[in-house]
Amino acid sequence: QHSHDNKLQVNAKGSEDSQAKKYRVTRPSGEVIEVVGLAEFCRNEGISRRGLYHVMKHNQTDYRGYKCENIS
């Protein structure tokens, strides 16, 4: 399955936070976005941050169709 690499940068706070880490998240639709600050992204999407951490640690391949990797 090949998805288009439509990259959006999402920063829920609207400004660059030097402490926040960057993540590449693939939504269930295949849309690839870059996220700054995973906790707020998860709240906005209605998903568990812990679930995405398990994906990043390679304990599972996806969480509810979401995939995630740390890029910062």
Side-chain angles (χ1 to χ4, degrees), residues 14-72:
S15 64
E16 205 50 48
D17 182 354
S18 62
Q19 297 295 320
K21 294 182 180 178
K22 288 186 180 181
Y23 302 90
R24 182 173 296 118
V25 177
T26 304
R27 287 186 165 136
S29 66
E31 178 185 20
V32 177
I33 59 174
E34 290 184 5
V35 175
V36 178
L38 196 59
E40 191 159 351
F41 171 78
C42 289
R43 279 194 298 275
N44 292 337
E45 295 286 310
I47 60 174
S48 166
R49 180 178 56 176
R50 181 177 290 181
L52 286 185
Y53 281 131
H54 285 294
V55 173
M56 284 190 298
K57 299 294 182 188
H58 306 290
N59 295 333
Q60 60 193 64
T61 58
D62 70 276
Y63 171 70
R64 299 174 91 184
Y66 288 83
K67 297 180 181 182
C68 185
E69 62 181 311
N70 188 339
I71 59 173
S72 62

